[in-house]
Amino acid sequence: ESQPISQLRSIQRADAEQGLRFAGLVVYHCPNKLESATSIKALKDSGHHLVMITGDQILTACHVARQLGMCSRAQSVILSRSGPAATLEWRSPDESVSRAFCERGDIGALAKQFDLCLPGPVMSTLTTETQDKLLEHVRVFARVSPTQKEAVLLNLKAKGHYTLMCGDGTNDVGALKASHVGVALLQGPGEIEDSSPLDDAAAPGPSGVVRRRRGPPSLVELQRRLEKEMAKEEVTIVRLGDASIASPFTCRQSSIYPTTRIIQQG
């Protein structure tokens, strides 16, 4: 039965999910950009502390951060509420590790043992004092609001850290303005193209020919591609809502590689 959109928006989730018939599963696959891992490794090797701040689901964020090499500990733990009393505890994604949360505990010592992950809904329930002690030790922030993104940057700056923030949307504007260096990433005609985005596994090509897949490009190769794109001098159309409105730096691709160039140039 069809209903107007205005009426559908007012339906509660519990009511909308009644009387449903299972039709199947939809799987979304969004692979990481090959140059992301190369750039992140370069930043880590040069002594920079990397933090992920995203609106994505916490398990997705933890998985991607580990895939890209942002997590350096053997295990990640997520601050969550559990039990009838909704008590706070640190729990690993596979639930093999569990630690009680103590507001007066040594967060720094825990961060040396685990990569800490903090969901936005849990962050909003913490006191200002607890957030002040905790935020600089968190490796992954997920399901955070634009205001919370900005709060994370302000907290890091208050602790004496120099911050560089990458963002690509309106929800990143506050954090980009709060950071010392804001870098807006635009998706458009300036995207860096990878002629063979292949990994180490063999893959059959046309007519059954097997091609060898290759790993992430080197920094030298990324620099060559970036210079090639810049030489095209294409006009990037800035759309209303683009993060570039609030950033001193704007990159004409969605890759984080240009951050390494900005740091190299001081």
Side-chain angles (χ1 to χ4, degrees), residues 75-79 90-93 97 110 114-118:
Q75 276 277 20
S76 299
V77 289
I78 303 168
L79 186 60
W90 294 101
R91 182 178 295 180
S92 62
V97 176
L110 186 68
F114 302 101
D115 287 302
L116 307 185
C117 307
L118 179 63

Side-chain angles (χ1 to χ4, degrees), residues 138-207:
V138 174
R139 178 72 64 178
V140 177
F141 294 88
R143 282 293 187 209
V144 290
S145 67
T147 303
Q148 288 175 323
K149 290 183 180 183
E150 182 178 359
V152 171
L153 268 296
L154 292 174
N155 178 273
L156 292 175
K157 288 174 66 177
K159 296 291 185 179
H161 300 284
Y162 288 93
T163 58
L164 184 151
M165 168 74 183
C166 289
D168 60 3
T170 307
N171 58 347
D172 297 315
V173 168
L176 289 168
K177 293 176 68 176
S179 64
H180 289 99
V181 181
V183 183
L185 307 177
L186 296 184
Q187 295 187 19
E191 289 281 351
I192 293 181
E193 298 180 356
D194 191 301
S195 58
S196 54
L198 306 170
D199 55 37
D200 291 333
S207 304

Side-chain angles (χ1 to χ4, degrees), residues 73-149:
R73 314 301 180 200
Q75 276 277 20
S76 299
V77 289
I78 303 168
L79 186 60
S80 55
R81 295 189 179 275
S82 62
T87 55
L88 284 171
E89 69 174 1
W90 294 101
R91 182 178 295 180
S92 62
D94 61 2
E95 300 187 353
S96 62
V97 176
S98 179
R99 296 285 189 278
F101 175 76
C102 180
E103 293 189 3
R104 294 180 178 153
D106 189 349
I107 302 296
L110 186 68
K112 292 179 180 179
Q113 187 178 1
F114 302 101
D115 287 302
L116 307 185
C117 307
L118 179 63
V122 174
M123 176 179 167
S124 63
T125 65
L126 302 177
T127 64
T128 302
E129 181 182 356
T130 301
Q131 289 189 34
D132 185 60
K133 292 173 53 180
L134 174 63
L135 296 190
E136 72 169 329
H137 298 291
V138 174
R139 178 72 64 178
V140 177
F141 294 88
R143 282 293 187 209
V144 290
S145 67
T147 303
Q148 288 175 323
K149 290 183 180 183

